[in-house]
Amino acid sequence: MRDHVPSDLESYLPRFAGYRSPEEVTALLTRLTGKTVDESVTVFPPFYSEFGKNLTLGREVFINLGCRFQDTGGITIGDGTLIGHGSTLTTLDHGIDPDRRADMIPAPVVIGRKVWLGAAVTVVPGVTIGDGAIVGAGAVVTKDVPANAIVAGVPAKLIRMTGFDATLGRPSVTELG
């Protein structure tokens, strides 16, 4: 069996596993968003986007496999952010009035710089997650998250502050005492 696998695995993968080189992924993201996507952005497919043109990715963003972005209301992801596999970012809500339930109400999702979303996080429309925040795996984020906060749960609640200032890249002055 081993004799049938080429020594150049990259040439083998496109035919059987849908492999795309980093350069191809960047080109596809640029086409999807209609904006230049920095070559430092990494996305592990599969990746799903409802529209694409309302998605803005910063530099050095990492999006793990199986993420779903409903970007009609706008999604902005800041530099250095990590998004865990299977996460969902939604930007459309429905009307509360039963007679208007089919109405779509857009609201943007804004994720700051150096944020870490754990695996299978859901972020609902209108939420802003501040720089340096950490969102625990499986959390459902229904309210804004302050910068440098750690949140987790359903719905996500503040666990504690990280002790770091994402703008400084080191422990905050208040944490040093």
Side-chain angles (χ1 to χ4, degrees), residues 63-173:
I63 301 170
N64 212 331
L65 63 94
C67 290
R68 297 168 302 275
F69 291 3
Q70 180 192 49
D71 67 304
T72 302
I75 295 173
T76 302
I77 301 173
D79 295 345
T81 288
L82 311 174
I83 300 181
H85 67 273
S87 291
T88 302
L89 308 181
T90 64
T91 64
L92 289 177
D93 212 341
H94 294 275
I96 295 173
D97 179 346
D99 293 332
R100 311 267 331 198
R101 192 71 38 91
D103 292 356
M104 302 300 263
I105 304 164
V109 167
V110 178
I111 299 175
R113 297 172 57 252
K114 300 180 182 177
V115 171
W116 173 21
L117 301 185
V121 166
T122 298
V123 180
V124 302
V127 167
T128 296
I129 299 175
D131 293 348
I134 299 171
V135 180
V140 176
V141 185
T142 61
K143 296 182 180 172
D144 290 353
V145 175
N148 306 306
I150 300 173
V151 300
V154 179
K157 296 194 183 307
L158 180 66
I159 304 299
R160 66 179 176 89
M161 301 308 284
T162 64
F164 289 85
D165 183 337
T167 61
L168 301 174
R170 59 180 186 261
S172 65
V173 173

Side-chain angles (χ1 to χ4, degrees), residues 28-29 32-33 46-57 63 66-72 75 89:
L28 287 168
L29 286 170
L32 175 72
T33 63
F47 169 75
Y48 306 96
S49 176
E50 179 184 44
F51 186 60
K53 302 296 184 213
N54 298 316
L55 175 60
T56 302
L57 301 171
I63 301 170
C67 290
R68 297 168 302 275
F69 291 3
Q70 180 192 49
D71 67 304
T72 302
I75 295 173
L89 308 181

